Amino acid sequence: MHRAYQPIVPTSNKYLQQKWDKDDYQKHRTKVQKATAVVDTKGPQTPVHLQVKLKTLQIQEERLAIITRDNQILSSKLAAIMRSNGTVENWNNYSYKSLNAEKRQRELMQISRENQAILQRIMHCESEYNRSRLKEDWEKAERVQKDIARYPRGLKTVQKSKKKVRIRGWMSGETSDDVQEQRELQQRGEKSTMLIKRTFNGIQGLATSADSISF
């Protein structure tokens, strides 16, 4: 019973009422589909010149014409190359010319003039050291060294010359005693040389301190 059609209004035959209700519903759906709106909600119509776009078509045609012309020129060049066995036509007959050669030349000349001016200043610059005074100080130090020396100056050079002579003599036939004596003299000469060096260093330090005090 629950699956049977239940009419809204009371009826004597449910099957006929179901058929009539279905027909009424189909008529209603047909009317709804065929109904027209009272308010016009459609958009405005697009103008013809916006639909066709003649300017875009013109630009495309011009571009195609340029491409066609370039292709024709290229094909004619290829045909000419095939006929003429491919001759070269890209030789550059112009000479190389720098755009900033004059500027670089001016900068080089300016640098040369500055270098010459520096050289002239260096050549004409006077020394700050007094040569005559330095020479006098040296002579003074030499005199002091000569006055306080225990042995005469130049002894080392004399000893070296004697050593060479005696060695030559020993090679020619001197005895071992002579050789021993030469060794002793050599040791004494070395000791005296060391003493002279120490004395000279001390005198030089005293002379430096004295000159600083005098100034």
Side-chain angles (χ1 to χ4, degrees):
M1 293 295 293
H2 66 281
R3 293 186 180 180
Y5 177 74
Q6 298 296 330
I8 298 174
V9 295
T11 182
S12 61
N13 193 340
K14 294 180 180 180
Y15 298 106
L16 289 175
Q17 190 64 37
Q18 181 180 4
K19 186 175 181 181
W20 293 336
D21 291 342
K22 286 183 178 180
D23 291 340
D24 292 340
Y25 180 73
Q26 291 296 329
K27 290 178 182 179
H28 172 70
R29 293 299 303 170
T30 304
K31 289 181 181 179
V32 170
Q33 290 177 359
K34 293 181 180 180
T36 58
V38 178
V39 180
D40 189 6
T41 58
K42 296 180 180 179
Q45 294 182 359
T46 306
V48 179
H49 68 280
L50 295 179
Q51 293 179 357
V52 180
K53 296 182 180 179
L54 298 176
K55 186 64 177 179
T56 304
L57 296 176
Q58 181 182 358
I59 293 172
Q60 291 179 357
E61 290 178 358
E62 291 176 356
R63 182 171 175 272
L64 292 175
I66 292 171
I67 293 172
T68 303
R69 181 175 59 82
D70 293 340
N71 291 335
Q72 290 177 357
I73 293 171
L74 183 61
S75 61
S76 62
K77 288 182 179 180
L78 292 174
I81 291 172
M82 294 297 293
R83 289 193 302 270
S84 61
N85 296 324
T87 57
V88 179
E89 298 178 354
N90 60 347
W91 295 106
N92 297 325
N93 297 322
Y94 61 91
S95 60
Y96 176 76
K97 183 178 180 181
S98 178
L99 298 177
N100 59 347
E102 296 180 359
K103 181 180 178 181
R104 289 190 286 107
Q105 188 69 21
R106 289 195 300 270
E107 291 177 355
L108 182 60
M109 293 297 294
Q110 183 178 359
I111 292 171
S112 300
R113 288 194 296 271
E114 292 177 356
N115 292 337
Q116 289 293 330
I118 293 171
L119 180 61
Q120 291 295 329
R121 288 198 297 270
I122 293 173
M123 294 295 291
H124 293 84
C125 181
E126 296 181 358
S127 177
E128 296 181 359
Y129 297 98
N130 192 350
R131 295 180 61 185
S132 60
R133 185 175 178 181
L134 293 175
K135 187 176 180 181
E136 291 177 359
D137 293 340
W138 174 252
E139 292 177 354
K140 181 180 178 181
E142 288 287 333
R143 288 195 302 270
V144 173
Q145 292 176 9
K146 185 177 180 181
D147 293 339
I148 66 174
R150 181 176 297 180
Y151 300 97
R153 296 177 62 82
L155 180 62
K156 186 176 180 180
T157 307
V158 176
Q159 287 179 353
K160 285 184 178 180
S161 62
K162 289 182 179 180
K163 178 181 175 182
K164 292 180 180 179
V165 173
R166 287 182 180 178
I167 290 173
R168 289 177 183 174
W170 177 74
M171 290 296 292
S172 62
E174 286 187 352
T175 60
S176 59
D177 295 334
D178 296 334
V179 175
Q180 185 68 25
E181 184 178 359
Q182 292 174 3
R183 289 179 180 176
E184 291 178 356
L185 290 173
Q186 183 179 359
Q187 292 177 359
R188 291 177 183 175
E190 291 177 355
K191 291 180 180 180
S192 61
T193 304
M194 293 295 293
L195 183 60
I196 291 169
K197 287 183 179 179
R198 292 177 182 175
T199 307
F200 173 73
N201 292 332
I203 293 168
Q204 190 174 6
L206 291 173
T208 305
S209 60
D211 291 338
S212 62
I213 292 169
S214 62
F215 289 121

